[in-house]
Amino acid sequence: MKQAILTHPKTIEFSEIEKPIMKANEILMKVKKIGICGSDIHAYYGEHPFMSFPIRLGHEMAGEVIEVGSEVKDIEIGDLVTVMPQEFCHECEPCKDGRYNICNTLEVIGCQTPGAACEYFNVDSALIKKIPKGMTDEIAATVEPAAVGVHAVRRSGSVKNMNVVVMGAGTIGNVTAQAAIAEGAKSVLITDLSDYRLEVAKSCGITHVANTGKVSMKDAIEQAFGEEGADIFFECVGVGETVNQAIEFSKKGHDIVIVGVFGSTPSINLAWVQDREFRIIGSLMYVDKDFQDTIDYMAAGKINMKPLISKTFKFDDYAKAFQYIEQNKDTSLKILIEM
């Protein structure tokens, strides 16, 4: 079978390998679609702090089950599935607390272990999620990033009846805003410097949008929420400037959730964090309930991923997909690879 390997910065090489031999607890899937994530883009340029070369990418995926191991239950040949790409130890303190998304030895499929950028992919059936009838493989391949948003929204407890600000209208910011609406937020404002991404956000049902290159964050919050102000901020950009904006405009004693991936160490106004008793909360990936609830939200139309799919490339054009993203940074949200 054919696989695609990221061997060096901006270098993808194809090779032929043997079809995987399954273990009793595994399924074998014929890969249908692969999503390109922000972390894949960082890796492509050699800038991801937790990924190294060579690596077979592909942690966002959808495929058809073609074989099931002898110990596998409730998964059948022909099922359309996606994968929770977390390989964890089950033994460390976070795992025992049910927080295996921050397992002390966590490895992510397609980041630290070989991903789904291949024709056939074998994986532990415990990581498999079946896709409901009527959902396409392209939408199924977007469950993983959508689950990141659902988990982020839950990190501070509940956003029910809150005024929520999501900073950054890329894929993760968009799904975080949609997840906040699905989880009962009173009102949601999403901000960005790209009018295109804000228009996509509107098409996904996010009513309050603001280009903070044209209107101040203070004015955007006032226009969206009036005198009530913002109850919680989700930083989905990954730069110090937006974190400091959240610190500046947050109410005292409230939460700021960090969802964006930082390429460098930012300078943060910790004096105000201390003085105003903010809680800075990190968010990484998801757990099983987040993932399953995301599928349910998508099936019910509460999270709409279709407007985020910008373009689909054939597997042989994997490198061209990254080149397209580089040339169309503003308008590239979710790029898919079709096997």
Side-chain angles (χ1 to χ4, degrees), residues 294-311:
T294 299
I295 294 172
D296 295 342
Y297 280 149
M298 291 168 68
K302 293 184 177 181
I303 293 180
N304 180 11
M305 298 300 290
K306 193 167 182 61
L308 279 75
I309 299 173
S310 305
K311 196 173 178 65

Side-chain angles (χ1 to χ4, degrees), residues 224-241:
F225 309 134
E227 294 181 357
E228 292 181 355
D231 296 312
I232 186 168
F233 283 78
F234 293 87
E235 199 284 341
C236 300
V237 182
V239 298
E241 182 180 356

